[in-house]
Amino acid sequence: MFEGISEEKVREAVELIKNGYDERKLRARLGSDWEIIAEIARARIKAKDKFSRDDLWMDLEGLRYSTHEIVARYRSERLEKAGVRSIADVSCGIGIQLIFYAMKVERAYGIDIDPAKVEFARRNAEKYRVPNIEFINADSLAPETVERIDAEVIFSDPARPPEMPERRLEDLLPSPLRIYETYKSRADAFIFDLPPQIRRERIPWKGEFEYIDLFGALNRLTFYTEPLAGAERSAVVLPAGARLESNPDLENILEWTDKPGEYLYEVPQAVDYADLLNELFHVLNGEAKMLLREKRRVLATGDAPLKSPYLKRTYVVVGVVPFHPVRINDFLRREGFGRATLKLSVPQEEYWRVRKRIEANLSGDRRAFVFRVGGKAVVAEAL
């Protein structure tokens, strides 16, 4: 597969696409395999912020479902600390997570039913110079496939179906329920990538729910069955590497206020999803109170400029005004702000209208961050 598609052809396609060549010109320059060559090239262009290499093999679907290299490295290091020597990825895709796991174990297996994905993964393993992976193009649930696997840990990052009213294990492909039943007699532990929105009580096994924040956004939920579990719940903030674990013995020091102090502290979504706000407050070096908890935004506040790897960002409060676009705009112009970032929930159909009114006629280099707390707009600057 892809025998006629060389590294040189893909690199040529990357340059042609960057230079604005349309499909007709790409077809003329790249030959009969131009479509797949162009797709690999487009995936490489889009992947520039996801991987440290610019020469990986993937299509756009493979890129979409692949693990960010920073996350892949973190999880492989966690596996190494657990002393795992062998692992099988039963839906390996283009192989990024598998490759990083393989760097830390003696033996690894990569299974995928799509021959193109297996070929991409094999080529990517060569790029990273990882030789200890056995690739298998097969149905991971077939008995003959299972018989070939000799691994301590089974990893699966199943495909998500289109958005559904509620995330359920049985709707994932392949279902973690089937993977577990198929391999439970052959493996010591399982690692599953799950939708972060899934309700924890729907998971039928004991283990650890690890929520990962990457560059300030919730990236994924990884579930570890025993004996790999280190806590009931955890949150990891990457690339900083800050980690929180649930501790039911901690004194509850969580307090709430409806008035912002001199500073705002934006809490990573992973910490909120893992219900580790109390644990967070125990590691912050200073006094803070909760101010806001929404689906996309969690804020604490206090009177000290706290800086912590456990926080997404710290802001200094510039002013508090009634939440009305004109009043906010008046304040921003008066204080010399030239730009505004809206950190608030607004109905989609109203967002641009509200934003245009808030940003009207601003000039200057100062950037304001505008939050909504109740009926008030809190205007702040990032530290």
Coordinates of all heavy atoms in Angstrom, one line a residue, residues 160-193:
R160 N -15.3 8.1 18.5 CA -16.6 8.6 19.1 C -17.6 8.7 17.9 O -17.3 9.2 16.9 CB -16.4 10.0 19.6 CG -15.8 10.1 21.0 CD -14.4 9.6 21.1 NE -13.8 10.0 22.4 CZ -12.7 9.4 22.9 NH1 -12.1 8.5 22.2 NH2 -12.2 9.8 24.0
P161 N -18.8 8.3 18.2 CA -19.9 8.5 17.2 C -20.3 10.0 17.1 O -19.9 10.8 18.0 CB -21.0 7.6 17.7 CG -20.8 7.6 19.2 CD -19.4 7.7 19.4
P162 N -21.1 10.4 16.2 CA -21.6 11.7 16.2 C -22.3 12.1 17.5 O -22.7 11.2 18.2 CB -22.7 11.7 15.0 CG -22.2 10.7 14.1 CD -21.6 9.6 15.0
E163 N -22.3 13.3 17.8 CA -22.8 13.8 19.1 C -24.1 13.2 19.5 O -25.1 13.1 18.7 CB -23.0 15.3 19.1 CG -23.1 15.9 20.5 CD -21.8 15.8 21.3 OE1 -20.7 15.9 20.8 OE2 -21.9 15.5 22.5
M164 N -24.2 12.6 20.7 CA -25.4 12.0 21.2 C -25.9 12.6 22.5 O -25.1 13.4 23.1 CB -25.1 10.5 21.4 CG -24.6 9.7 20.2 SD -24.5 8.0 20.4 CE -26.3 7.5 20.5
P165 N -27.2 12.4 22.9 CA -27.7 13.1 24.1 C -26.8 12.8 25.3 O -26.7 13.6 26.2 CB -29.1 12.5 24.2 CG -29.5 12.1 22.8 CD -28.2 11.6 22.2
E166 N -26.3 11.6 25.4 CA -25.4 11.2 26.5 C -24.4 10.2 26.0 O -24.7 9.3 25.3 CB -26.3 10.6 27.6 CG -25.5 10.2 28.9 CD -26.4 9.7 30.0 OE1 -27.6 9.7 29.8 OE2 -25.8 9.3 31.0
R167 N -23.2 10.4 26.5 CA -22.1 9.5 26.1 C -22.2 8.2 26.9 O -22.4 8.2 28.1 CB -20.7 10.2 26.5 CG -20.4 11.4 25.6 CD -20.2 11.1 24.2 NE -19.6 12.1 23.4 CZ -19.4 12.1 22.1 NH1 -19.7 11.0 21.4 NH2 -18.8 13.1 21.5
R168 N -22.1 7.1 26.1 CA -22.2 5.8 26.8 C -21.1 4.9 26.2 O -20.7 5.0 25.0 CB -23.5 5.1 26.5 CG -24.7 6.0 26.9 CD -26.0 5.3 26.6 NE -26.1 4.8 25.2 CZ -27.0 4.0 24.7 NH1 -27.9 3.5 25.6 NH2 -27.0 3.6 23.5
L169 N -20.6 3.9 27.0 CA -19.5 3.0 26.6 C -19.9 2.2 25.4 O -19.1 2.0 24.5 CB -19.1 2.1 27.7 CG -18.4 2.7 28.9 CD1 -18.1 1.6 29.9 CD2 -17.1 3.4 28.5
E170 N -21.2 1.8 25.4 CA -21.6 0.9 24.3 C -21.7 1.6 22.9 O -21.8 0.9 21.9 CB -23.0 0.3 24.6 CG -24.0 1.2 25.1 CD -24.1 1.4 26.6 OE1 -23.0 1.5 27.2 OE2 -25.2 1.4 27.1
D171 N -21.7 2.9 22.9 CA -21.7 3.7 21.6 C -20.3 3.9 21.0 O -20.3 4.4 19.9 CB -22.4 5.0 21.9 CG -23.9 4.8 22.3 OD1 -24.5 3.9 21.8 OD2 -24.4 5.6 23.1
L172 N -19.3 3.7 21.8 CA -17.9 3.9 21.3 C -17.5 2.7 20.4 O -18.0 1.6 20.5 CB -16.9 4.0 22.4 CG -17.3 5.1 23.4 CD1 -16.2 5.2 24.5 CD2 -17.4 6.5 22.7
L173 N -16.6 3.0 19.4 CA -16.2 1.9 18.5 C -14.7 1.8 18.5 O -14.0 2.7 18.1 CB -16.7 2.3 17.1 CG -18.2 2.5 16.9 CD1 -18.5 3.1 15.5 CD2 -18.9 1.2 17.0
P174 N -14.2 0.6 18.9 CA -14.9 -0.5 19.5 C -15.3 -0.2 20.9 O -14.6 0.6 21.6 CB -14.0 -1.7 19.4 CG -12.6 -1.0 19.5 CD -12.7 0.3 18.8
S175 N -16.4 -0.8 21.4 CA -16.8 -0.5 22.7 C -15.8 -1.0 23.8 O -15.4 -2.2 23.7 CB -18.2 -1.2 23.0 OG -18.5 -1.2 24.4
P176 N -15.5 -0.2 24.8 CA -14.6 -0.7 25.8 C -15.1 -1.9 26.5 O -14.4 -2.7 27.0 CB -14.5 0.5 26.8 CG -14.7 1.7 25.9 CD -15.7 1.2 24.9
L177 N -16.5 -2.0 26.6 CA -17.1 -3.2 27.2 C -16.7 -4.5 26.5 O -16.3 -5.5 27.1 CB -18.6 -3.1 27.2 CG -19.2 -1.9 28.0 CD1 -20.7 -1.7 27.8 CD2 -18.9 -2.1 29.5
R178 N -16.7 -4.4 25.2 CA -16.3 -5.6 24.4 C -14.8 -5.9 24.4 O -14.4 -7.0 24.5 CB -16.8 -5.4 22.9 CG -18.3 -5.4 22.7 CD -18.6 -5.5 21.3 NE -18.2 -6.9 20.7 CZ -18.1 -7.1 19.4 NH1 -18.4 -6.2 18.5 NH2 -17.8 -8.3 19.0
I179 N -14.0 -4.8 24.4 CA -12.6 -5.0 24.5 C -12.2 -5.6 25.8 O -11.4 -6.6 25.9 CB -11.9 -3.6 24.4 CG1 -12.0 -3.0 23.0 CG2 -10.4 -3.7 24.8 CD1 -11.3 -3.7 21.9
Y180 N -12.8 -5.2 26.9 CA -12.6 -5.7 28.2 C -12.9 -7.2 28.3 O -12.1 -8.0 28.7 CB -13.3 -5.0 29.3 CG -13.0 -5.4 30.7 CD1 -11.9 -4.9 31.4 CD2 -13.9 -6.4 31.3 CE1 -11.7 -5.4 32.7 CE2 -13.6 -6.8 32.6 CZ -12.5 -6.3 33.3 OH -12.2 -6.8 34.5
E181 N -14.1 -7.6 27.8 CA -14.6 -8.9 27.9 C -13.7 -9.8 27.0 O -13.4 -11.0 27.3 CB -16.0 -9.1 27.4 CG -17.0 -8.6 28.4 CD -16.9 -9.3 29.7 OE1 -16.8 -10.5 29.7 OE2 -16.9 -8.6 30.8
T182 N -13.2 -9.3 25.9 CA -12.4 -10.1 24.9 C -11.0 -10.4 25.5 O -10.5 -11.5 25.3 CB -12.3 -9.3 23.6 OG1 -13.6 -9.1 23.1 CG2 -11.4 -10.1 22.6
Y183 N -10.4 -9.4 26.2 CA -9.0 -9.5 26.6 C -8.8 -9.7 28.1 O -7.6 -9.8 28.5 CB -8.2 -8.2 26.1 CG -8.0 -8.2 24.7 CD1 -8.9 -7.5 23.8 CD2 -6.8 -8.8 24.1 CE1 -8.6 -7.5 22.4 CE2 -6.6 -8.7 22.7 CZ -7.5 -8.1 21.9 OH -7.2 -8.0 20.6
K184 N -9.9 -9.7 28.9 CA -9.7 -9.7 30.3 C -8.9 -11.0 30.8 O -8.3 -10.9 31.9 CB -11.0 -9.6 31.0 CG -12.0 -10.8 30.9 CD -13.3 -10.6 31.6 CE -14.2 -11.8 31.4 NZ -15.5 -11.6 32.1
S185 N -9.0 -12.1 30.1 CA -8.3 -13.3 30.6 C -6.8 -13.3 30.1 O -6.0 -14.1 30.5 CB -8.9 -14.5 30.0 OG -8.9 -14.5 28.6
R186 N -6.4 -12.3 29.3 CA -5.0 -12.2 28.8 C -4.2 -11.0 29.3 O -3.0 -11.0 29.1 CB -5.1 -12.2 27.2 CG -5.8 -13.4 26.6 CD -5.8 -13.4 25.1 NE -4.4 -13.6 24.6 CZ -3.9 -14.8 24.5 NH1 -4.6 -15.9 24.7 NH2 -2.6 -14.9 24.0
A187 N -4.9 -10.1 29.9 CA -4.2 -8.8 30.3 C -4.3 -8.6 31.7 O -5.3 -9.0 32.3 CB -4.7 -7.6 29.4
D188 N -3.4 -7.8 32.3 CA -3.5 -7.5 33.7 C -4.2 -6.2 34.0 O -4.8 -6.0 35.0 CB -2.0 -7.3 34.3 CG -1.2 -8.6 34.2 OD1 -1.8 -9.7 34.3 OD2 0.0 -8.5 34.0
A189 N -4.2 -5.3 33.0 CA -4.9 -4.0 33.2 C -5.3 -3.4 31.8 O -4.8 -3.9 30.8 CB -3.9 -3.0 33.9
F190 N -6.2 -2.4 31.9 CA -6.6 -1.8 30.7 C -6.5 -0.2 30.8 O -6.6 0.3 31.9 CB -8.1 -2.1 30.4 CG -8.4 -3.5 30.1 CD1 -8.4 -4.5 31.1 CD2 -8.6 -3.9 28.8 CE1 -8.6 -5.8 30.8 CE2 -8.8 -5.2 28.4 CZ -8.8 -6.2 29.4
I191 N -6.3 0.4 29.7 CA -6.3 1.9 29.6 C -7.2 2.3 28.5 O -7.1 1.8 27.4 CB -4.9 2.5 29.3 CG1 -3.9 2.0 30.4 CG2 -4.9 4.0 29.3 CD1 -2.4 2.4 30.0
F192 N -8.3 3.1 28.8 CA -9.2 3.5 27.8 C -9.3 5.0 27.8 O -9.3 5.7 28.8 CB -10.6 3.0 28.2 CG -10.8 1.5 28.1 CD1 -11.1 0.8 29.3 CD2 -10.8 0.9 26.9 CE1 -11.2 -0.6 29.2 CE2 -11.0 -0.5 26.9 CZ -11.2 -1.2 28.0
D193 N -9.2 5.5 26.5 CA -9.6 7.0 26.3 C -11.1 7.1 26.2 O -11.7 6.4 25.4 CB -8.9 7.4 25.0 CG -7.6 8.2 25.2 OD1 -7.3 8.5 26.4 OD2 -6.9 8.5 24.3

